Amino acid sequence: MILALLQETAARALTFPGAHSVLRPHGPQALRIHELWRFLWIVALVVWVLVVAALLWGAFRRHGPEDGGERSGGGPGMHRAVVGATALTVVVLVVFLVFDFSTGRALTMAPGGELHVQVTGHQWWWEVEYPHPEPYKRATTANEIHVPVGVPVVVELQAADVIHSFWAPSLTGKRDLIPRVRSSLWFQADTPGVYRGQCAEFCGYQHAKMGFQIIAEPRAQFEAWLARQRDSARTPADTLARRGRQVFLASSCPLCHTIAGTMAGGNVGPDLTHLASRRTLAAGTLPNTRGNLAGWIVDPQRIKPGVIMPANQLAPRDLQALLAYLETLE
């Protein structure tokens, strides 16, 4: 009862809207990590109680001439206690080792029937690609990983610049992304929901603002989302949005960003083909709203100092037109 209460208290302290916590597992890998943590915590607590009890027993035990040499610390009884404590320590460490290896093996062995996703870490955002043998069926997004519930997902990881670390605590463990070295991990979301992830390796000034979201949804919803992501951007019908498209293509934006179906083919920044369908801007820094998008376009350095994207000084009419166009990119 006390253990359960302590765990629930810790989980509530670490969990708030949009947060992530290793104490609230929602997949088989996270559950195995949580079981390992709980086992280590319980054993450590028992050892601590025994050590404190031994210290208190030794501190308050009375000694006198009648105690003899054994009770004063030099007899066979003390030697047996030391040997027994050492043997018990070895046994505990061996059990820890076996449990740890068992957990590590479970984390690395992905079952069949998985979905493959490629994730590339940039300073400071995540490029997400859903590969397919047929190029026109590939889909690219940024900072969001949509997955079907109950399906193993293999994430192939790489870094474009410096070392990053992929970590979604409620679903899986950490895995480093090292430049020119490919690695992978797998996870499975057992319940629908939005699970926040974070870069867990210091990668520069804006490391703390390099988050991502894993969105687990029923298979039908996921397939519908993936089909939309494969589509090119539609030519807007609204006059203001069409002017915004012209503003976008005439600016420096196409040098860094791609919008499928247009002449914009830059690969420095995130693909914007379906920007309006995303929940956040700047790798989880801001909710994707019209006001936040305007602020990000005009002065990204104020929001995320050090980001590669430069400021864009646009006339008010051009900015409103550009916003109207970007909002059509669903």
Side-chain angles (χ1 to χ4, degrees):
M1 178 65 72
I2 296 177
L3 176 60
L5 180 60
L6 289 173
Q7 289 181 337
E8 181 66 20
T9 302
R12 289 181 178 179
L14 292 175
T15 305
F16 52 91
H20 48 271
S21 172
V22 295
L23 300 179
R24 300 228 173 186
H26 289 272
Q29 285 193 304
L31 183 60
R32 291 296 297 266
I33 295 173
H34 182 264
E35 290 174 347
L36 175 61
W37 171 85
R38 183 169 55 185
F39 175 75
L40 297 177
W41 192 88
I42 292 174
V43 173
L45 178 62
V46 171
V47 170
W48 180 82
V49 170
L50 293 177
V51 170
V52 171
L55 289 174
L56 294 176
W57 177 73
F60 291 101
R61 188 178 62 157
R62 293 185 178 181
H63 298 281
E66 69 280 1
D67 292 338
E70 180 177 337
R71 297 191 64 185
S72 63
M78 179 60 70
H79 295 162
R80 286 194 295 269
V82 171
V83 172
T86 303
L88 180 60
T89 300
V90 172
V91 170
V92 170
L93 292 177
V94 170
V95 172
F96 279 177
L97 183 65
V98 172
F99 203 157
D100 183 63
F101 275 133
S102 174
T103 301
R105 184 177 178 83
L107 297 184
T108 56
M109 297 181 63
E114 64 271 4
L115 168 72
H116 285 260
V117 179
Q118 296 176 353
V119 174
T120 303
H122 300 263
Q123 287 180 309
W124 293 274
W125 60 283
W126 304 90
E127 182 180 5
V128 182
E129 182 177 355
Y130 292 79
H132 195 278
E134 302 177 47
Y136 71 93
K137 289 186 178 181
R138 296 175 183 173
T140 303
T141 184
N143 307 313
E144 287 187 2
I145 305 174
H146 286 246
V147 300
V149 174
V151 175
V153 180
V154 175
V155 184
E156 300 172 5
L157 302 165
Q158 62 181 350
D161 33 49
V162 301
I163 297 176
H164 302 281
S165 186
F166 182 94
W167 188 32
S170 294
L171 296 175
T172 186
K174 301 176 185 177
R175 184 60 55 88
D176 285 347
L177 289 70
I178 301 174
R180 296 183 297 277
V181 176
R182 291 182 176 270
S183 60
S184 65
L185 58 75
W186 77 276
F187 67 85
Q188 176 179 309
D190 289 334
T191 55
V194 179
Y195 304 97
R196 179 174 168 81
Q198 180 68 39
C199 178
E201 180 74 27
F202 181 75
C203 55
Y205 188 40
Q206 291 300 325
H207 157 71
K209 293 183 178 180
M210 188 175 171
F212 61 91
Q213 291 183 337
I214 295 177
I215 301 167
E217 51 201 354
R219 187 64 185 248
Q221 293 184 20
F222 167 75
E223 294 293 350
W225 173 86
L226 186 58
R228 291 193 299 271
Q229 295 297 307
R230 290 169 175 162
D231 290 339
S232 298
R234 299 177 181 177
T235 301
D238 179 72
T239 303
L240 183 63
R242 285 202 303 269
R243 171 172 169 74
R245 185 173 184 266
Q246 295 175 352
V247 170
F248 179 89
L249 295 175
S251 68
S252 60
C253 300
L255 300 177
C256 296
H257 297 285
T258 291
I259 296 181
T262 73
M263 297 177 60
N267 59 5
V268 178
D271 188 306
L272 302 182
T273 305
H274 301 284
L275 171 66
S277 68
R278 298 171 194 163
R279 296 167 179 258
T280 66
L281 301 170
T285 303
L286 299 169
N288 190 0
T289 64
R290 186 182 181 91
N292 287 336
L293 181 58
W296 176 249
I297 293 172
V298 172
D299 192 3
Q301 297 298 322
R302 181 181 61 83
I303 298 170
K304 204 167 182 176
V307 72
I308 297 177
M309 182 172 170
N312 295 277
Q313 301 302 322
L314 299 173
R317 291 183 59 186
D318 289 343
L319 177 60
Q320 293 303 317
L322 178 58
L323 292 172
Y325 171 60
L326 295 177
E327 288 176 341
T328 67
L329 301 178
E330 298 181 346

